[in-house]
Amino acid sequence: MHDALSLPSRKEPGRALPEAPAGPRAVPFSLRARGSRLASPESQLALLDGVDLAASAYAGDFSKALASAGWLPLRPAALEILQVNLGKLCNMSCRHCHVDAGPDRTDAMMDRETVDACLRALDLSGAHTLDVTGGAPELNPHFRYLVDEAVKKGKHVLDRCNLTVLLVPSLRNLPEWMAERGVEIVASLPHPRKRGTDAQRGDGTFDRSLEAMRMLNALGYGSGRSDRTLTLVTNPVGAFLPAGQASMEREWKEALGREHGVTFDRLIALNDMPISRYLEWLEASGNLESYLKLLVDSFNPATLAGLMCRNTLSVSWDGSLHDCDFNQMLALPALSVDGRPLHVRDLDPDVLAAREIVTRRHCFGCTAGAGSSCGGAIEPSIPLPVPR
Amino acid sequence: METYYKPDHLQKFASIGEGNDELAKKFFAYYGAVFADGALSGREKALIALAVAHVVQCPYCIDAYSQECLKLGSDLEQMTEALHVGVAIRGGASLVHGVQMLEHVHKASM
């Protein structure tokens, strides 16, 4: 991680946006601020495509895997969720961030005009849920406006929250504000213990996350109320796949309750995606080839029907549309059947329904093992294997 | 064989059925049932397996259950504590035999 420890090689001309308050950092700066080659989506795709997977299943070609399961071309199901990425600004700098978010990312923030286009798209799309993500979406000055308007439309709103941002002084009343609107909080916590959580997300993350959870619990979050849902999201702290989401949820509830007196409603387990800073870590730690092999060899056709790219549409901070948040980070736009990149300001449900979903090698990340979507494991009960 | 232990033998474990498929199938079915969530969670069982793997000094098992413990949500501190449980029992098992030694010594000595 020598690259991660060096000073930024170029200074970005900051826009008139507030610097994010400095929170925990596992890496000091974003790939972009460090001038890393992996800041470019093309370099990330080239690195992934360059790994020799000829001896692996489907020769590491996702289209072949889809074809073998009878799912080529991959098409969308009914649209249920509009996922809006409000930008890359974040108070934290996690080692595995697939967004390359951080306090230095004031360059990529959704403006009011695009937020309004998202709200119009929410009406047109027929989606029942608005999924707000980032970065730390709460740091976007239009966050409350977007949430408020979506709630007024009767949509279910969920905030993908890093927990520590709720301790930022200027956001002091935000948890109460969200509670009043019934916003579901989907919060990142990789591990129920300090060691793994802080290794991935920066020193101090675990203690601050617990403090934020106590705040949310005091407002009724995590107590089983449907209008105060607190969901935790775990993803592996390293180069392996998670297993046993349901069993893990039982153990987390017991351990976090007993040791720290905090509660939550449900736990979802995500696979780590070989994109951006997690891709950087895989390469630097010598795990890239073995992790990609693990993903490819763990291809599970039973995950395909429930993939998030089939029921979710992802909007970038600049309004471009993507089949998922991961494609967004790799600058792979959603395409109309005639190959036109789609934008939220002219969202057309018929054009969307007719499109093919864009896939590349990273897609093996969502189909490995129990599968992975923004809602967690897709196929909950896989048999525990004989070792390997 | 240039070496007795080869990492890829772990992946080839199922080939042990070549000489007796029926017994292998029974063993693997039993094995799968042992590690399923039950009164103990799969995670707890994997920690026990990790400790035993070190006691029997099986590199295949150490490889498999280091991975399995991580996948099921254990961390290094928990895995190390499990390992020490195995080590303590192994050490204690030797040490407690010292009582036999004592009795032999007491009987044979003035």
Side-chain angles (χ1 to χ4, degrees):
Chain A
M1 301 299 292
H2 299 293
D3 193 21
L5 299 173
S6 59
L7 287 167
S9 57
R10 61 197 166 96
K11 183 77 183 154
E12 291 304 321
R15 300 217 320 227
L17 286 164
E19 271 283 314
R25 295 183 183 206
V27 293
F29 300 101
S30 66
L31 294 169
R32 186 172 190 271
R34 282 184 267 137
S36 162
R37 81 183 203 287
L38 289 181
S40 117
E42 296 75 23
S43 300
Q44 296 180 43
L45 288 166
L47 179 60
L48 289 170
D49 289 340
V51 176
D52 181 6
L53 296 175
S56 292
Y58 320 104
D61 181 338
F62 194 71
S63 295
K64 284 185 186 161
L66 285 177
S68 80
W71 278 85
L72 192 71
L74 188 61
R75 294 206 181 274
L79 184 65
E80 297 183 72
I81 302 165
L82 188 71
Q83 185 175 59
V84 174
N85 192 312
L86 282 179
K88 299 178 194 294
L89 186 66
C90 189
N91 59 315
M92 301 180 73
S93 295
C94 301
R95 195 175 294 285
H96 71 306
C97 183
H98 74 274
V99 178
D100 195 29
D104 56 55
R105 295 306 308 270
T106 51
D107 57 289
M109 295 283 277
M110 187 176 282
D111 60 21
R112 172 64 183 258
E113 192 186 335
T114 311
V115 169
D116 278 321
C118 289
L119 287 164
R120 285 193 299 275
L122 195 56
D123 288 331
L124 282 171
S125 70
H128 54 65
T129 294
L130 173 72
D131 177 333
V132 189
T133 187
E138 304 88 348
L139 295 174
N140 184 304
H142 310 300
F143 173 80
R144 293 191 198 212
Y145 169 68
L146 173 64
V147 171
D148 229 0
E149 294 302 309
V151 168
K152 282 182 204 162
K153 292 176 192 296
K155 304 293 181 186
H156 178 64
V157 178
L158 60 89
D159 171 35
R160 292 195 183 266
C161 177
N162 70 24
L163 287 175
T164 70
V165 77
L166 300 178
L167 306 182
V168 169
S170 61
L171 300 179
R172 195 172 294 281
N173 72 345
L174 186 62
E176 196 176 351
W177 187 90
M178 289 200 282
E180 285 164 1
R181 285 155 186 79
V183 175
E184 176 177 355
I185 295 183
V186 181
S188 303
L189 191 70
H191 200 270
R193 291 163 47 77
K194 189 184 183 76
R195 182 189 190 89
T197 296
D198 286 5
Q200 182 184 84
R201 301 176 71 79
D203 286 346
T205 299
F206 188 69
D207 292 340
R208 290 196 219 187
S209 299
L210 289 176
E211 193 180 336
M213 280 182 73
R214 283 189 196 99
M215 227 157 66
L216 293 170
N217 286 165
L219 291 163
Y221 274 102
S223 61
R225 282 178 61 172
S226 62
D227 60 342
R228 299 276 198 282
T229 303
L230 175 58
T231 300
L232 294 185
V233 180
T234 171
N235 52 306
V237 184
F240 52 94
L241 296 175
Q245 177 175 284
S247 165
M248 220 184 261
E249 178 182 296
R250 283 192 296 274
E251 293 204 326
W252 281 49
K253 282 185 172 170
E254 199 272 324
L256 286 173
R258 185 189 65 230
E259 291 168 27
H260 304 290
V262 294
T263 61
F264 64 96
D265 295 299
R266 63 184 182 128
L267 176 71
I268 59 182
L270 304 185
N271 295 349
D272 283 316
M273 295 298 289
I275 294 176
S276 198
R277 294 212 289 264
Y278 184 67
L279 180 60
E280 177 190 43
W281 176 80
L282 285 174
E283 191 186 27
S285 62
N287 281 303
L288 178 59
E289 188 178 333
S290 60
Y291 187 70
L292 290 188
K293 281 183 175 158
L294 174 66
L295 295 183
V296 171
D297 292 336
S298 306
F299 177 72
N300 177 2
T303 61
L304 293 170
L307 286 177
M308 67 171 169
C309 52
R310 300 193 64 238
N311 73 345
T312 303
L313 188 65
S314 158
V315 191
S316 166
W317 65 275
D318 64 4
S320 57
L321 295 181
H322 304 264
D323 295 313
C324 72
D325 199 51
F326 305 119
N327 279 7
Q328 181 186 137
M329 299 315 150
L330 290 170
L332 299 170
L335 299 172
S336 63
V337 277
D338 54 353
R340 193 166 37 88
L342 301 175
H343 194 280
V344 69
R345 70 177 161 255
D346 33 46
L347 180 138
D348 179 337
D350 295 332
V351 170
L352 284 173
R355 81 193 195 282
E356 279 180 34
I357 291 166
V358 176
T359 62
R360 293 285 288 266
R361 192 169 254 182
H362 67 283
C363 298
F364 281 110
C366 285
T367 56
S372 186
S373 77
C374 278
I378 295 165
E379 197 196 21
S381 55
I382 50 162
L384 255 180
V386 167
R388 306 277 178 78
Chain B
M1 260 191 226
E2 71 282 6
T3 170
Y4 285 108
Y5 283 121
K6 290 183 177 173
D8 68 346
H9 285 181
L10 186 55
Q11 278 78 33
K12 294 177 182 164
F13 194 4
S15 69
I16 207 69
E18 190 178 327
N20 188 323
D21 195 39
E22 192 192 338
L23 285 180
K25 278 186 179 143
K26 283 181 173 169
F27 175 80
F28 288 125
Y30 162 79
Y31 194 110
V34 164
F35 281 95
D37 276 329
L40 293 177
S41 69
R43 189 184 69 85
E44 290 166 329
K45 291 180 183 185
L47 284 170
I48 295 169
L50 182 73
V52 175
H54 283 81
V55 171
V56 300
Q57 291 176 259
C58 168
Y60 304 117
C61 312
I62 293 170
D63 182 351
Y65 282 95
S66 296
Q67 305 289 336
E68 195 69 7
C69 284
L70 289 171
K71 280 171 67 174
L72 292 168
S74 293
D75 67 8
L76 178 64
E77 289 161 355
Q78 294 168 325
M79 290 160 68
T80 305
E81 286 187 20
L83 167 58
H84 279 292
V85 171
V87 168
I89 292 297
R90 185 170 194 155
S94 292
L95 196 58
V96 72
H97 284 78
V99 180
Q100 292 185 16
M101 172 194 75
L102 275 178
E103 289 190 355
H104 289 303
V105 168
H106 288 155
K107 185 162 187 259
S109 304
M110 288 181 187

